[in-house]
Amino acid sequence: MAPVRPLAILLALAVSDLHGLPWFVNVSESQGPGALLWSFSFNCSSGTPSLKLLWVQPPSPFFNPPSLARWQGLHVGQLTLSSSARLDALAVNHYELQLQVTCGSEVIEGPLSVNVQRDPDRAQCAGRFASPAGEVIQVPETVAPGARLYTVLPGLELQGAQANITSAQDPPYFPGPFSISGQGWLQAPAQGLRGQAPKLFGLQVMLTWGRGRRCHGVLGVRVLPAPASQLSFPARSLSVSVPEDLAPGSEVARVRARGEDVRYDLLVPARGPRFSIGRADGVVRTSAPLAVAVTPCSVRAFEGLRPGLSVQLDLTVNVTPVNRWPPRCLPALLLTQVPETAPVGTPLGTFTCEDPDSPDSPLRYQLQAHSPRDLASLRLRDRVLEVNATLDCDVPGACFQLAASLLVLDSGQPPMSTEVPVLVTVTPVNEFSPACAPRTFRVREDAGPRTLLGSVVASDMDYPHAGTEFHSPGGPAPFAVDRLSGAVRLLGPLDYEQQRLHQLPVLVTDRGHGSGSCTVAVEVEDVNEHAPECEPPFQELAVHASPGSSTEVARLSCRVPQEPQRLAFSYSLVGGTPPSGPSPPAQPRTFELLIRVADAGPSAPHLSTTATVLVHLVPPRASTAATSTSGATVPAAAATPRLVTLTDPFWRPEPWFVVVLTVTGALLLALGWLLCRHSRGWAQGLRAPSKPAPALLLTNIQGTEGSSEGFMEAPRRETPRMETPEAPGSIRSLRHFDGRAQDSRTGRDYLFDTRMGAWRWL
């Protein structure tokens, strides 16, 4: 008896620890009825527990319902063999029992695996074979020589036993000796049994095994005449397929033979029995775990009263693999990129798939796209994913990702599949060169640096357009093109008179792969920046005019030397110095005329200049005898003009300097007012000695009144105040000038009037 391993599991409230535990027990085939197979104890605090045997696989009456008893505060469960138990490891070597334990509201089920093991010390002789009368079998006389008549012991060779016939088989009663093969089969004599009916051959058989162990049995062979028999199978062969995970005891096939009291026997292959057959019902069952293989067997059908009369059926059992695993693919995930210019048929990836359950079995492939566009862009050909349509990224939003999946299905049962995700990113390609359209900009010639003239617009059929750059390939120019935005700006000064149109070549590049060019025309707009000049700018002349007549006094000739194309001017009399006081008609009169000369063209601004004309109006002679005053007419040679140009500098201080200067001036003004009050008497004493100076200067001035320098143009810092003559015999009177000074810029002397502010050159 094999040792029984009790499972010592103590459960607190219920039998939750029983769940999922693999219980195994090994039992020798020599165990008889009532033998204890399994024992375990547990604690149940929720009432009275119960223990049930739910089912046995393969079905067998060899196991009693489990018993439950209480011992030392614990519940002890036991499982024993029934009175009909006849364990045979060669017939069935594995039983699966399902037990159920109930404790209160808790119900736990668990399997118990019983492995039947061979017992080399088991007594081999039993049943009618070991009785004194022995086992009697009937065989027809037509049995083939050497045919299998009876199985003394199934699997005799596997058990290490030997069977021998010890009784005499002498002729002429025996046609020849019967024999027992190494597999335990009783075989007919080599001469056959024809003509031996109705003889009964008695045979004594001795079985030996182990260390000198032996037993005896009696076997009688009755030879029957060969009547017409109806024993037959509907077909000569039968082929069945079963999965490899079929549990022991499961039905494989069911055979039926026509006849009376038909019995069935399974002739298993020599490598070991994995199947058994019901002797009465002809159901073929598994007796051990299966392996993938094709097993040929033979089923013998015979009548119970005439076992020698039999027919055979060829049974082929095809054990097929169970589809446990789905196909495996490399790569398991396909992530790839493809340029938009890839032609149709470009391979994107190759899939290598295999079924782990059956490496040589064929697989089926299906390409499943997530959208109609993806399905139209991809195709699967011989496990190779290819581009199926023209790709294009040159439209906004057109660059995309193609999402699909490859479904791989095997041919097993049940069919299983594997899904391989596919993600293909379509990348843009710089196919086209950028281009730009010619542009024309206009700019004033007085525009300052950094003036924005406009922007060059570039077009690119590629998408996206990022990376477009602008360059000006020419040499130094007064213009610059922004590299990124294409903005055209002014860098240097412009001159309408020197160049009116500038041609700026612009090169447009796209990430350094393609380029285009265009020309930007810049038209310079004329700006009036030069004032007209008159020659001479100062005229002095004497005119003899008769009363009531219109006489042309002078003609001005003006132009713009820097812009000779300007010929339109406007002239206006803007001022002058009329003669002071009434004068007799016979006396000459002097007029100083200020004429504003402005350009009248379309350019702005309109600049102007002032020309000075000094006219000495000489009255006509009263008679031919009158004496002319030679000093009253200025000769033409003496009227040569002289032009003196003075420039007034302009200074624009900083704001902070203005503030400091203002504060300082206010402080100085206050200080001066205080000093003035205390030094008034001192100031009056200083003014007394200076009174004779004007008379002295006047005397000096009067001595030089004949000089012609006094008719020259005054400085342009202020409007000159001219002194007109008062005496009949003098062109100009100097009685209003009471001072004389020297100009610091030109070094010339001039006279001035401290009361009126008038002055004249000497």
Side-chain angles (χ1 to χ4, degrees), residues 331-663:
L333 171 65
L334 179 59
L335 295 176
T336 185
Q337 292 183 349
V338 59
E340 62 172 330
T341 55
V344 175
T346 300
L348 303 177
T350 302
F351 298 94
T352 303
C353 301
E354 182 184 67
D355 188 358
D357 299 314
S358 180
D360 298 330
S361 62
L363 301 175
R364 292 182 292 122
Y365 300 86
Q366 296 179 5
L367 181 62
Q368 297 179 339
H370 295 179
S371 67
R373 180 187 64 181
D374 300 339
L375 184 60
S377 301
L378 300 175
R379 70 185 182 192
L380 187 68
R381 179 178 297 177
D382 295 334
R383 299 182 291 109
V384 178
L385 186 65
E386 298 178 350
V387 176
N388 191 43
T390 302
L391 308 176
D392 189 8
C393 286
D394 297 327
V395 179
C399 254
F400 45 84
Q401 287 183 332
L402 303 176
S405 59
L406 180 66
L407 187 64
V408 184
L409 302 97
D410 59 14
S411 56
Q413 292 296 329
M416 303 187 74
S417 63
T418 295
E419 186 173 355
V420 180
V422 176
L423 186 61
V424 180
T425 301
V426 182
T427 58
V429 176
N430 195 3
E431 303 176 77
F432 306 98
S433 298
C436 60
R439 298 291 303 274
T440 301
F441 302 124
R442 291 179 174 83
V443 60
R444 292 166 53 92
E445 66 174 330
D446 60 346
R450 304 299 300 171
T451 299
L452 177 63
L453 306 184
S455 297
V456 179
V457 179
S459 61
D460 190 355
M461 295 180 63
D462 291 313
Y463 186 86
H465 308 304
T468 303
E469 296 182 357
F470 301 85
H471 305 276
S472 180
F479 307 99
V481 181
D482 188 87
R483 182 175 62 88
L484 299 178
S485 64
V488 180
R489 295 183 180 273
L490 180 63
L491 293 182
L494 301 175
D495 193 343
Y496 175 82
E497 288 72 24
Q498 293 184 3
Q499 188 173 356
R500 302 181 183 182
L501 180 64
H502 295 266
Q503 299 288 340
L504 179 64
V506 177
L507 181 66
V508 184
T509 60
D510 183 8
R511 299 178 184 171
H513 298 288
S515 62
S517 62
C518 59
T519 302
V520 175
V522 180
E523 296 181 356
V524 181
E525 295 181 349
D526 189 17
V527 176
N528 195 7
E529 55 186 345
H530 300 288
E533 296 181 6
C534 298
E535 293 186 2
F538 177 83
Q539 298 186 42
E540 184 176 6
L541 50 90
V543 178
H544 297 271
S546 300
S549 62
S550 177
T551 304
E552 179 179 326
V553 176
R555 182 178 296 272
L556 299 180
S557 175
C558 301
R559 64 187 182 90
V560 180
Q562 297 83 357
E563 303 177 31
Q565 74 278 6
R566 295 183 182 273
L567 301 176
F569 302 100
S570 62
Y571 303 87
S572 60
L573 189 61
V574 296
T577 304
S580 58
S583 60
Q587 297 295 326
R589 304 177 66 183
T590 300
F591 297 87
E592 185 179 33
L593 306 178
L594 300 179
I595 302 173
R596 180 177 179 270
V597 182
D599 52 5
S603 301
H606 295 285
L607 303 180
S608 63
T609 187
T610 302
T612 304
V613 179
L614 190 63
V615 181
H616 301 284
L617 186 59
V618 179
R621 296 180 180 179
S623 62
T624 56
T627 304
S628 61
T629 306
S630 60
T633 301
V634 179
T640 302
R642 300 179 63 184
L643 178 63
V644 178
T645 303
L646 299 179
T647 303
D648 292 333
F650 177 79
W651 174 57
R652 183 177 182 180
E654 297 291 336
W656 63 268
F657 183 78
V658 175
V659 175
V660 174
L661 185 61
T662 303
V663 175

Side-chain angles (χ1 to χ4, degrees), residues 235-275:
R236 297 180 58 88
S237 62
L238 176 65
S239 178
V240 295
S241 297
V242 295
E244 63 175 329
D245 61 345
L246 197 64
S250 300
E251 181 177 335
V252 175
R254 188 181 295 269
V255 297
R256 287 287 185 270
R258 291 186 295 266
E260 295 181 2
D261 192 21
V262 180
R263 297 289 184 265
Y264 300 94
D265 193 9
L266 182 64
L267 307 180
V268 297
R271 61 169 175 253
R274 293 183 180 272
F275 307 98

Side-chain angles (χ1 to χ4, degrees), residues 82-133:
S82 66
S83 59
S84 62
R86 297 291 185 272
L87 300 179
D88 189 352
L90 295 179
V92 178
N93 60 5
H94 180 81
Y95 294 94
E96 190 80 15
L97 287 71
Q98 186 73 9
L99 300 178
Q100 183 186 74
V101 180
T102 303
C103 178
S105 60
E106 297 288 337
V107 178
I108 303 298
E109 294 184 4
L112 175 63
S113 298
V114 179
N115 296 323
V116 181
Q117 298 179 339
R118 294 290 302 161
D119 185 6
D121 296 332
R122 179 184 180 185
Q124 304 294 323
C125 302
R128 295 172 60 182
F129 174 74
S131 65

